[in-house]
Amino acid sequence: FTKGWRNAHLKLSDPGTYEIKVTFTDRKQSEPYELGPYKFTIDKTKPVVEVSEEITAGAIYTEPKQFNIDVKDDHLEREKTVLTLKRNNEIIRQVTGEEAFEVQKVTEDGVYEIDVHAIDLALNEDAFKPVTFTIDQKAPDLNMNVTDNEYINTEKEVVMTVFDELNLDLSQTKATVEKVGDEEFTADVTFKEKSKTTAEATYKFKENGEYIITLTSKDKAGNTAVTKKVRFTIDKDAPEIVVTNIGEDGRYNDDREVTITVTDQNMGESNVTVKYNGEPYEIDPLVLDGKMATTKHTFTEEGVYELQVVSKDKAGNESLEKIKFTVDKTGPGIKYSIEDGKYFNDNKVDLTVTVDDYTPFVPEITVKNGDKTIEIPTDGWMKKMIWLITQELTISLEDEGVYSV
Protein backbone atom coordinates (compact mmCIF):
# COMPACT_ATOMS: atom_id res chain seq x y z
CA PHE A 1 0.00 0.00 0.00
CA THR A 2 1.22 3.49 -0.63
CA LYS A 3 1.62 5.81 2.25
CA GLY A 4 -0.86 8.57 2.67
CA TRP A 5 -3.29 7.47 -0.02
CA ARG A 6 -3.54 4.00 1.36
CA ASN A 7 -3.95 2.59 -2.16
CA ALA A 8 -2.59 -0.71 -3.38
CA HIS A 9 -1.99 -1.69 -7.03
CA LEU A 10 -1.88 -5.35 -8.07
CA LYS A 11 -1.15 -6.30 -11.67
CA LEU A 12 -2.66 -9.63 -12.75
CA SER A 13 -2.15 -10.99 -16.28
CA ASP A 14 -2.43 -14.73 -16.17
CA PRO A 15 -5.81 -16.15 -17.20
CA GLY A 16 -7.83 -17.54 -14.35
CA THR A 17 -10.48 -16.81 -11.73
CA TYR A 18 -9.31 -14.59 -8.91
CA GLU A 19 -10.61 -13.75 -5.42
CA ILE A 20 -9.42 -10.63 -3.58
CA LYS A 21 -10.02 -9.90 0.11
CA VAL A 22 -8.63 -6.92 2.01
CA THR A 23 -8.20 -6.81 5.82
CA PHE A 24 -7.14 -3.64 7.65
CA THR A 25 -7.21 -1.99 11.12
CA ASP A 26 -6.93 1.58 12.28
CA ARG A 27 -5.65 3.05 15.55
CA LYS A 28 -9.03 3.44 17.10
CA GLN A 29 -10.43 0.08 16.18
CA SER A 30 -9.14 -2.99 17.82
CA GLU A 31 -11.01 -5.35 15.47
CA PRO A 32 -9.83 -5.57 11.85
CA TYR A 33 -11.99 -4.45 8.93
CA GLU A 34 -12.57 -6.76 5.93
CA LEU A 35 -13.32 -5.80 2.34
CA GLY A 36 -14.39 -8.54 0.01
CA PRO A 37 -13.97 -11.09 -1.01
CA TYR A 38 -14.21 -9.92 -4.68
CA LYS A 39 -14.15 -12.48 -7.52
CA PHE A 40 -13.29 -11.82 -11.19
CA THR A 41 -11.91 -13.69 -14.15
CA ILE A 42 -9.22 -12.97 -16.67
CA ASP A 43 -10.06 -14.73 -19.96
CA LYS A 44 -8.00 -14.07 -23.06
CA THR A 45 -9.07 -17.19 -24.99
CA LYS A 46 -11.32 -16.85 -28.01
CA PRO A 47 -14.29 -19.21 -28.36
CA VAL A 48 -13.54 -22.20 -30.60
CA VAL A 49 -16.33 -23.11 -33.05
CA GLU A 50 -16.61 -26.64 -34.43
CA VAL A 51 -18.92 -28.03 -37.10
CA SER A 52 -19.99 -31.65 -36.63
CA GLU A 53 -18.05 -34.25 -38.57
CA GLU A 54 -20.92 -34.86 -41.03
CA ILE A 55 -19.65 -31.81 -42.94
CA THR A 56 -16.16 -31.38 -44.40
CA ALA A 57 -15.05 -28.04 -45.80
CA GLY A 58 -14.97 -28.10 -49.61
CA ALA A 59 -16.74 -31.44 -49.87
CA ILE A 60 -19.36 -32.30 -52.52
CA TYR A 61 -22.28 -34.45 -51.43
CA THR A 62 -24.87 -36.25 -53.56
CA GLU A 63 -27.51 -36.49 -50.85
CA PRO A 64 -29.18 -34.25 -48.22
CA LYS A 65 -27.02 -33.46 -45.14
CA GLN A 66 -27.47 -32.38 -41.55
CA PHE A 67 -25.07 -30.83 -39.08
CA ASN A 68 -24.81 -28.99 -35.80
CA ILE A 69 -22.23 -26.68 -34.25
CA ASP A 70 -20.41 -26.71 -30.93
CA VAL A 71 -18.57 -23.80 -29.29
CA LYS A 72 -15.87 -24.51 -26.75
CA ASP A 73 -15.41 -21.72 -24.20
CA ASP A 74 -15.61 -21.80 -20.41
CA HIS A 75 -17.35 -18.45 -20.32
CA LEU A 76 -19.47 -18.53 -23.48
CA GLU A 77 -22.53 -16.36 -23.80
CA ARG A 78 -24.64 -18.96 -25.62
CA GLU A 79 -27.57 -16.63 -26.09
CA LYS A 80 -25.38 -14.36 -28.24
CA THR A 81 -24.19 -17.14 -30.57
CA VAL A 82 -25.41 -16.58 -34.14
CA LEU A 83 -25.49 -19.25 -36.89
CA THR A 84 -25.85 -17.99 -40.48
CA LEU A 85 -26.45 -20.42 -43.35
CA LYS A 86 -26.18 -19.30 -46.98
CA ARG A 87 -27.13 -21.12 -50.18
CA ASN A 88 -25.67 -19.82 -53.43
CA ASN A 89 -24.59 -16.63 -51.61
CA GLU A 90 -28.06 -15.90 -50.25
CA ILE A 91 -28.96 -16.19 -46.56
CA ILE A 92 -31.55 -18.93 -46.13
CA ARG A 93 -31.36 -19.33 -42.35
CA GLN A 94 -30.11 -17.27 -39.41
CA VAL A 95 -30.68 -18.46 -35.83
CA THR A 96 -29.51 -17.20 -32.42
CA GLY A 97 -28.93 -18.65 -28.97
CA GLU A 98 -29.91 -22.22 -28.21
CA GLU A 99 -31.52 -22.60 -31.64
CA ALA A 100 -28.07 -22.11 -33.20
CA PHE A 101 -26.92 -25.32 -31.51
CA GLU A 102 -29.79 -27.44 -32.86
CA VAL A 103 -29.37 -29.92 -35.76
CA GLN A 104 -29.68 -28.16 -39.11
CA LYS A 105 -30.92 -30.02 -42.19
CA VAL A 106 -30.24 -29.07 -45.82
CA THR A 107 -31.85 -30.91 -48.75
CA GLU A 108 -31.71 -28.74 -51.87
CA ASP A 109 -28.86 -28.64 -54.37
CA GLY A 110 -26.54 -25.69 -54.02
CA VAL A 111 -23.31 -24.28 -52.61
CA TYR A 112 -23.70 -23.80 -48.86
CA GLU A 113 -21.74 -21.64 -46.43
CA ILE A 114 -21.85 -22.07 -42.64
CA ASP A 115 -20.79 -19.02 -40.61
CA VAL A 116 -20.85 -18.71 -36.80
CA HIS A 117 -20.36 -15.71 -34.55
CA ALA A 118 -19.66 -16.51 -30.90
CA ILE A 119 -18.67 -14.23 -27.99
CA ASP A 120 -17.85 -14.95 -24.36
CA LEU A 121 -18.35 -12.97 -21.16
CA ALA A 122 -14.91 -11.43 -21.54
CA LEU A 123 -15.95 -10.19 -25.01
CA ASN A 124 -13.56 -12.51 -26.78
CA GLU A 125 -14.92 -13.25 -30.30
CA ASP A 126 -14.32 -16.40 -32.29
CA ALA A 127 -11.92 -16.61 -35.21
CA PHE A 128 -14.13 -19.03 -37.13
CA LYS A 129 -13.62 -19.28 -40.89
CA PRO A 130 -16.84 -20.05 -42.80
CA VAL A 131 -17.20 -23.66 -43.96
CA THR A 132 -18.34 -24.17 -47.55
CA PHE A 133 -19.73 -27.41 -49.02
CA THR A 134 -21.91 -28.45 -51.94
CA ILE A 135 -24.95 -30.65 -52.34
CA ASP A 136 -25.33 -31.87 -55.92
CA GLN A 137 -27.92 -34.56 -56.49
CA LYS A 138 -28.62 -33.91 -60.18
CA ALA A 139 -26.87 -35.57 -63.08
CA PRO A 140 -25.85 -33.46 -66.09
CA ASP A 141 -28.57 -32.67 -68.64
CA LEU A 142 -27.73 -33.79 -72.19
CA ASN A 143 -29.28 -32.32 -75.35
CA MET A 144 -28.87 -32.40 -79.13
CA ASN A 145 -30.65 -30.52 -81.91
CA VAL A 146 -31.45 -33.77 -83.70
CA THR A 147 -34.00 -36.41 -82.70
CA ASP A 148 -33.92 -40.17 -82.77
CA ASN A 149 -34.91 -41.70 -86.15
CA GLU A 150 -34.97 -38.27 -87.81
CA TYR A 151 -34.49 -38.01 -91.58
CA ILE A 152 -32.79 -34.87 -92.93
CA ASN A 153 -32.49 -33.82 -96.59
CA THR A 154 -29.71 -31.23 -96.17
CA GLU A 155 -26.34 -30.95 -94.50
CA LYS A 156 -26.84 -30.82 -90.73
CA GLU A 157 -24.73 -29.12 -88.07
CA VAL A 158 -25.51 -31.02 -84.90
CA VAL A 159 -25.10 -29.07 -81.64
CA MET A 160 -24.48 -31.18 -78.53
CA THR A 161 -25.03 -29.44 -75.17
CA VAL A 162 -24.24 -30.52 -71.61
CA PHE A 163 -25.64 -28.56 -68.66
CA ASP A 164 -24.75 -29.05 -65.01
CA GLU A 165 -25.64 -26.35 -62.52
CA LEU A 166 -22.88 -26.99 -59.98
CA ASN A 167 -20.09 -29.36 -61.02
CA LEU A 168 -19.65 -29.56 -64.78
CA ASP A 169 -16.69 -31.79 -65.67
CA LEU A 170 -15.44 -31.53 -69.27
CA SER A 171 -12.93 -34.32 -68.73
CA GLN A 172 -15.81 -36.76 -68.23
CA THR A 173 -18.05 -35.46 -71.02
CA LYS A 174 -17.75 -37.30 -74.32
CA ALA A 175 -19.53 -37.79 -77.66
CA THR A 176 -18.88 -40.63 -80.11
CA VAL A 177 -20.15 -40.65 -83.68
CA GLU A 178 -20.63 -43.74 -85.86
CA LYS A 179 -21.64 -44.10 -89.49
CA VAL A 180 -23.60 -47.28 -90.02
CA GLY A 181 -21.82 -49.60 -92.42
CA ASP A 182 -18.59 -47.56 -92.50
CA GLU A 183 -16.09 -48.80 -89.95
CA GLU A 184 -13.43 -46.37 -91.17
CA PHE A 185 -15.54 -43.29 -90.44
CA THR A 186 -14.20 -41.01 -87.68
CA ALA A 187 -15.45 -37.72 -86.25
CA ASP A 188 -13.51 -35.36 -83.99
CA VAL A 189 -15.95 -33.99 -81.42
CA THR A 190 -14.54 -31.70 -78.71
CA PHE A 191 -16.56 -30.05 -75.97
CA LYS A 192 -15.78 -26.46 -75.04
CA GLU A 193 -16.94 -24.60 -71.97
CA LYS A 194 -19.45 -21.87 -72.77
CA SER A 195 -20.07 -20.97 -69.13
CA LYS A 196 -19.53 -22.46 -65.69
CA THR A 197 -22.63 -24.57 -66.18
CA THR A 198 -22.67 -25.33 -69.91
CA ALA A 199 -20.41 -27.06 -72.44
CA GLU A 200 -21.05 -27.38 -76.16
CA ALA A 201 -19.70 -29.32 -79.14
CA THR A 202 -20.68 -29.14 -82.82
CA TYR A 203 -20.18 -31.40 -85.83
CA LYS A 204 -21.39 -30.86 -89.40
CA PHE A 205 -22.72 -33.92 -91.21
CA LYS A 206 -22.38 -33.46 -94.98
CA GLU A 207 -22.56 -36.91 -96.57
CA ASN A 208 -25.54 -39.16 -97.05
CA GLY A 209 -25.72 -41.96 -94.52
CA GLU A 210 -27.13 -43.25 -91.27
CA TYR A 211 -25.36 -41.94 -88.16
CA ILE A 212 -25.38 -42.73 -84.44
CA ILE A 213 -24.34 -40.19 -81.78
CA THR A 214 -23.75 -41.39 -78.22
CA LEU A 215 -23.44 -38.67 -75.56
CA THR A 216 -22.23 -39.35 -71.99
CA SER A 217 -21.29 -37.15 -69.02
CA LYS A 218 -20.45 -37.39 -65.32
CA ASP A 219 -20.09 -34.36 -63.07
CA LYS A 220 -17.49 -33.76 -60.37
CA ALA A 221 -19.93 -34.98 -57.72
CA GLY A 222 -20.07 -38.36 -59.44
CA ASN A 223 -23.60 -37.98 -60.79
CA THR A 224 -23.80 -39.83 -64.11
CA ALA A 225 -26.19 -38.68 -66.80
CA VAL A 226 -28.43 -41.14 -68.58
CA THR A 227 -26.66 -41.88 -71.85
CA LYS A 228 -28.29 -40.02 -74.76
CA LYS A 229 -28.18 -41.93 -78.04
CA VAL A 230 -29.74 -40.79 -81.31
CA ARG A 231 -29.82 -42.43 -84.71
CA PHE A 232 -30.58 -40.23 -87.71
CA THR A 233 -30.17 -40.21 -91.48
CA ILE A 234 -28.83 -37.66 -93.96
CA ASP A 235 -30.49 -38.21 -97.36
CA LYS A 236 -30.15 -35.46 -99.95
CA ASP A 237 -31.19 -37.59 -102.97
CA ALA A 238 -34.70 -37.57 -104.40
CA PRO A 239 -36.38 -40.86 -105.37
CA GLU A 240 -35.64 -42.19 -108.87
CA ILE A 241 -38.71 -42.81 -111.04
CA VAL A 242 -38.44 -45.03 -114.14
CA VAL A 243 -41.38 -45.57 -116.52
CA THR A 244 -40.76 -48.05 -119.35
CA ASN A 245 -42.30 -48.51 -122.81
CA ILE A 246 -43.84 -45.03 -123.10
CA GLY A 247 -42.53 -41.50 -123.50
CA GLU A 248 -43.86 -37.97 -123.25
CA ASP A 249 -46.28 -37.25 -126.13
CA GLY A 250 -45.74 -40.78 -127.40
CA ARG A 251 -48.25 -42.18 -129.91
CA TYR A 252 -48.61 -45.92 -130.20
CA ASN A 253 -50.63 -48.11 -132.56
CA ASP A 254 -50.57 -51.15 -130.29
CA ASP A 255 -51.20 -52.18 -126.69
CA ARG A 256 -48.66 -50.73 -124.27
CA GLU A 257 -47.37 -52.77 -121.32
CA VAL A 258 -45.92 -50.19 -118.93
CA THR A 259 -43.73 -50.83 -115.88
CA ILE A 260 -43.36 -48.10 -113.23
CA THR A 261 -40.50 -48.35 -110.75
CA VAL A 262 -39.57 -46.01 -107.86
CA THR A 263 -36.24 -46.51 -106.07
CA ASP A 264 -34.89 -44.75 -102.96
CA GLN A 265 -32.65 -45.57 -99.99
CA ASN A 266 -35.34 -44.37 -97.59
CA MET A 267 -38.61 -45.06 -99.30
CA GLY A 268 -41.58 -43.05 -98.12
CA GLU A 269 -44.89 -42.68 -99.96
CA SER A 270 -45.31 -43.17 -103.70
CA ASN A 271 -48.48 -42.88 -105.76
CA VAL A 272 -49.53 -43.34 -109.37
CA THR A 273 -52.56 -41.63 -110.92
CA VAL A 274 -53.82 -42.03 -114.48
CA LYS A 275 -56.44 -40.17 -116.48
CA TYR A 276 -57.99 -41.55 -119.66
CA ASN A 277 -59.45 -38.89 -121.94
CA GLY A 278 -59.61 -36.60 -118.89
CA GLU A 279 -61.39 -39.09 -116.60
CA PRO A 280 -59.88 -41.07 -113.69
CA TYR A 281 -58.47 -44.43 -114.74
CA GLU A 282 -57.61 -47.20 -112.29
CA ILE A 283 -54.39 -49.21 -112.33
CA ASP A 284 -52.81 -51.35 -109.61
CA PRO A 285 -50.98 -49.29 -106.94
CA LEU A 286 -47.24 -49.38 -106.41
CA VAL A 287 -46.13 -52.31 -104.25
CA LEU A 288 -43.24 -51.62 -101.88
CA ASP A 289 -40.45 -54.16 -101.57
CA GLY A 290 -37.50 -52.88 -99.56
CA LYS A 291 -36.01 -49.91 -101.34
CA MET A 292 -38.17 -50.27 -104.45
CA ALA A 293 -41.84 -49.88 -105.36
CA THR A 294 -43.24 -51.21 -108.65
CA THR A 295 -46.44 -51.74 -110.62
CA LYS A 296 -47.37 -52.85 -114.15
CA HIS A 297 -50.28 -52.13 -116.43
CA THR A 298 -51.18 -52.79 -120.06
CA PHE A 299 -53.00 -49.95 -121.79
CA THR A 300 -55.28 -51.34 -124.49
CA GLU A 301 -58.08 -48.82 -124.99
CA GLU A 302 -57.63 -46.21 -127.65
CA GLY A 303 -57.36 -42.72 -126.24
CA VAL A 304 -55.19 -40.16 -124.57
CA TYR A 305 -53.60 -41.10 -121.22
CA GLU A 306 -52.04 -38.84 -118.62
CA LEU A 307 -49.83 -40.70 -116.17
CA GLN A 308 -48.41 -39.04 -113.04
CA VAL A 309 -46.02 -40.59 -110.51
CA VAL A 310 -45.27 -38.77 -107.23
CA SER A 311 -42.79 -40.05 -104.67
CA LYS A 312 -41.57 -38.51 -101.43
CA ASP A 313 -38.98 -40.26 -99.26
CA LYS A 314 -38.68 -40.17 -95.46
CA ALA A 315 -36.31 -37.20 -95.65
CA GLY A 316 -38.85 -35.15 -97.61
CA ASN A 317 -37.09 -35.35 -101.00
CA GLU A 318 -39.76 -35.41 -103.72
CA SER A 319 -39.80 -36.55 -107.35
CA LEU A 320 -42.52 -36.06 -109.96
CA GLU A 321 -42.87 -37.72 -113.35
CA LYS A 322 -45.63 -36.80 -115.82
CA ILE A 323 -46.15 -38.56 -119.15
CA LYS A 324 -48.92 -37.92 -121.66
CA PHE A 325 -49.27 -40.52 -124.37
CA THR A 326 -51.79 -41.85 -126.91
CA VAL A 327 -52.89 -45.34 -127.91
CA ASP A 328 -54.31 -45.20 -131.46
CA LYS A 329 -54.66 -48.57 -133.12
CA THR A 330 -57.16 -47.70 -135.92
CA GLY A 331 -57.18 -45.38 -138.90
CA PRO A 332 -59.00 -42.04 -139.01
CA GLY A 333 -62.79 -41.93 -139.14
CA ILE A 334 -64.08 -39.97 -142.17
CA LYS A 335 -67.62 -38.57 -142.52
CA TYR A 336 -69.30 -36.54 -145.29
CA SER A 337 -72.19 -34.19 -144.88
CA ILE A 338 -73.63 -35.36 -148.24
CA GLU A 339 -74.83 -38.90 -148.89
CA ASP A 340 -73.17 -40.85 -151.67
CA GLY A 341 -75.02 -40.53 -155.00
CA LYS A 342 -77.27 -37.65 -153.97
CA TYR A 343 -78.46 -35.08 -156.58
CA PHE A 344 -78.83 -31.33 -156.08
CA ASN A 345 -80.44 -28.57 -158.24
CA ASP A 346 -79.11 -25.76 -156.01
CA ASN A 347 -76.88 -23.00 -157.25
CA LYS A 348 -74.37 -23.90 -154.55
CA VAL A 349 -73.80 -27.01 -152.49
CA ASP A 350 -71.65 -27.03 -149.32
CA LEU A 351 -69.85 -30.27 -148.61
CA THR A 352 -68.35 -30.70 -145.11
CA VAL A 353 -65.73 -33.40 -144.56
CA THR A 354 -65.03 -34.50 -140.96
CA VAL A 355 -61.97 -36.55 -139.96
CA ASP A 356 -61.68 -38.02 -136.42
CA ASP A 357 -58.50 -39.51 -135.03
CA TYR A 358 -56.41 -39.58 -131.82
CA THR A 359 -53.28 -38.76 -133.79
CA PRO A 360 -52.84 -35.28 -135.24
CA PHE A 361 -52.13 -35.07 -138.96
CA VAL A 362 -53.13 -33.01 -142.01
CA PRO A 363 -55.72 -34.95 -144.02
CA GLU A 364 -55.28 -35.11 -147.79
CA ILE A 365 -58.40 -34.46 -149.81
CA THR A 366 -58.96 -34.77 -153.56
CA VAL A 367 -62.08 -33.35 -155.22
CA LYS A 368 -62.98 -34.01 -158.90
CA ASN A 369 -65.71 -32.74 -161.14
CA GLY A 370 -65.74 -35.49 -163.70
CA ASP A 371 -62.13 -35.77 -164.77
CA LYS A 372 -61.31 -32.28 -163.63
CA THR A 373 -59.42 -32.02 -160.32
CA ILE A 374 -60.40 -29.12 -158.07
CA GLU A 375 -57.61 -27.66 -155.95
CA ILE A 376 -58.55 -27.51 -152.22
CA PRO A 377 -56.23 -25.56 -149.84
CA THR A 378 -55.04 -27.85 -147.01
CA ASP A 379 -54.82 -24.96 -144.52
CA GLY A 380 -58.59 -24.74 -144.44
CA TRP A 381 -59.06 -27.63 -142.03
CA MET A 382 -60.63 -26.59 -138.71
CA LYS A 383 -59.45 -28.55 -135.66
CA LYS A 384 -61.62 -29.34 -132.66
CA MET A 385 -59.50 -30.95 -129.98
CA ILE A 386 -60.80 -32.37 -126.76
CA TRP A 387 -59.17 -35.79 -126.57
CA LEU A 388 -60.20 -37.11 -129.95
CA ILE A 389 -58.97 -34.77 -132.68
CA THR A 390 -61.77 -33.72 -135.03
CA GLN A 391 -60.91 -31.87 -138.25
CA GLU A 392 -63.52 -30.30 -140.48
CA LEU A 393 -63.30 -28.81 -143.96
CA THR A 394 -66.24 -27.28 -145.83
CA ILE A 395 -66.12 -27.01 -149.64
CA SER A 396 -68.55 -24.92 -151.65
CA LEU A 397 -69.44 -26.49 -155.06
CA GLU A 398 -71.14 -24.26 -157.66
CA ASP A 399 -70.44 -25.80 -161.09
CA GLU A 400 -72.67 -28.47 -162.51
CA GLY A 401 -71.18 -31.91 -162.69
CA VAL A 402 -70.64 -35.24 -161.03
CA TYR A 403 -68.28 -34.87 -158.07
CA SER A 404 -66.17 -37.45 -156.34
CA VAL A 405 -64.29 -36.93 -153.08
Side-chain angles (χ1 to χ4, degrees):
F1 286 87
T2 60
K3 292 180 178 181
W5 293 98
R6 294 178 175 83
N7 294 324
H9 296 275
L10 182 64
K11 188 175 183 179
L12 303 173
S13 59
D14 294 334
T17 299
Y18 295 85
E19 182 179 290
I20 296 178
K21 184 179 181 181
V22 179
T23 303
F24 65 94
T25 60
D26 62 16
R27 297 173 182 174
K28 296 180 178 181
Q29 184 68 31
S30 59
E31 294 294 327
Y33 290 95
E34 290 186 358
L35 294 175
Y38 300 99
K39 290 184 178 181
F40 64 92
T41 301
I42 295 177
D43 182 1
K44 302 177 180 179
T45 304
K46 295 179 179 181
V48 177
V49 179
E50 294 179 348
V51 179
S52 57
E53 62 184 12
E54 290 91 349
I55 299 296
T56 301
I60 300 173
Y61 302 102
T62 58
E63 59 187 4
K65 300 298 289 183
Q66 63 181 32
F67 67 91
N68 64 285
I69 65 165
D70 185 29
V71 182
K72 297 186 181 302
D73 192 287
D74 291 337
H75 310 103
L76 180 67
E77 283 198 273
R78 290 176 68 89
E79 68 276 8
K80 291 186 178 180
T81 301
V82 180
L83 168 65
T84 302
L85 181 64
K86 292 182 180 180
R87 176 178 174 269
N88 299 335
N89 292 320
E90 292 186 2
I91 295 175
I92 61 170
R93 197 177 305 165
Q94 191 169 63
V95 289
T96 305
E98 290 302 324
E99 195 176 351
F101 294 88
E102 294 177 357
V103 173
Q104 310 293 325
K105 295 181 179 179
V106 287
T107 59
E108 296 184 14
D109 282 10
V111 179
Y112 290 87
E113 180 184 279
I114 302 170
D115 196 7
V116 179
H117 180 256
I119 189 169
D120 62 16
L121 294 170
L123 300 182
N124 296 301
E125 297 185 35
D126 68 87
F128 180 74
K129 291 184 178 180
V131 172
T132 301
F133 66 96
T134 301
I135 293 179
D136 184 359
Q137 303 168 94
K138 296 177 183 177
D141 184 29
L142 311 180
N143 282 292
M144 285 181 267
N145 65 337
V146 64
T147 58
D148 198 31
N149 295 318
E150 183 177 353
Y151 290 84
I152 303 164
N153 59 14
T154 61
E155 295 180 357
K156 177 70 174 181
E157 184 171 69
V158 175
V159 180
M160 294 154 270
T161 306
V162 178
F163 173 82
D164 192 272
E165 185 177 3
L166 298 170
N167 294 291
L168 182 65
D169 190 350
L170 287 182
S171 67
Q172 298 192 78
T173 299
K174 294 179 174 60
T176 59
V177 182
E178 306 169 62
K179 186 176 184 181
V180 177
D182 186 354
E183 295 183 357
E184 296 183 357
F185 175 82
T186 59
D188 182 18
V189 180
T190 303
F191 279 90
K192 296 181 180 179
E193 186 177 285
K194 293 201 73 178
S195 67
K196 290 183 178 180
T197 60
T198 306
E200 186 178 277
T202 60
Y203 187 82
K204 192 167 189 177
F205 294 84
K206 299 180 180 180
E207 299 179 358
N208 284 354
E210 184 179 5
Y211 298 91
I212 300 172
I213 301 176
T214 304
L215 188 55
T216 60
S217 184
K218 180 191 289 188
D219 65 18
K220 293 175 182 177
N223 299 302
T224 301
V226 176
T227 299
K228 190 172 184 65
K229 190 173 187 177
V230 296
R231 180 188 293 258
F232 64 97
T233 300
I234 301 290
D235 179 2
K236 298 181 286 185
D237 298 333
E240 180 184 8
I241 300 173
V242 177
V243 181
T244 62
N245 214 24
I246 56 172
E248 174 62 21
D249 205 28
R251 303 179 187 278
Y252 308 101
N253 60 5
D254 56 5
D255 294 343
R256 286 281 111 175
E257 183 180 74
V258 176
T259 299
I260 303 167
T261 304
V262 181
T263 306
D264 194 87
Q265 287 293 111
N266 302 287
M267 288 292 294
E269 292 187 2
S270 299
N271 295 290
V272 180
T273 57
V274 181
K275 287 185 177 181
Y276 170 63
N277 292 342
E279 299 296 326
Y281 181 90
E282 294 292 327
I283 69 170
D284 291 337
L286 288 159
V287 177
L288 182 63
D289 183 12
K291 300 177 181 179
M292 179 182 294
T294 58
T295 190
K296 288 184 178 181
H297 186 78
T298 301
F299 295 88
T300 59
E301 297 292 328
E302 287 191 314
V304 179
Y305 294 90
E306 295 171 289
L307 182 146
Q308 178 174 289
V309 185
V310 179
S311 181
K312 180 184 288 187
D313 63 20
K314 292 179 180 178
N317 301 299
E318 188 171 9
S319 293
L320 173 65
E321 183 76 16
K322 288 183 178 181
I323 299 176
K324 185 177 181 180
F325 66 99
T326 302
V327 174
D328 183 4
K329 299 184 288 185
T330 59
I334 301 174
K335 292 179 287 185
Y336 299 99
S337 62
I338 299 175
E339 295 179 3
D340 186 28
K342 191 169 184 178
Y343 288 83
F344 296 90
N345 61 2
D346 301 324
N347 293 329
K348 185 177 72 171
V349 175
D350 289 334
L351 169 65
T352 299
V353 181
T354 303
V355 180
D356 294 326
D357 200 78
Y358 283 107
T359 302
F361 70 100
V362 178
E364 294 181 3
I365 185 169
T366 302
V367 179
K368 288 185 177 182
N369 184 354
D371 293 330
K372 182 182 177 183
T373 301
I374 300 173
E375 294 293 332
I376 304 298
T378 57
D379 59 358
W381 290 97
M382 295 177 59
K383 289 186 180 181
K384 299 178 181 179
M385 298 181 60
I386 302 177
W387 301 105
L388 185 69
I389 301 171
T390 299
Q391 300 187 78
E392 290 185 351
L393 180 64
T394 299
I395 306 167
S396 295
L397 305 173
E398 298 179 355
D399 296 336
E400 290 187 349
V402 178
Y403 290 87
S404 63
V405 181

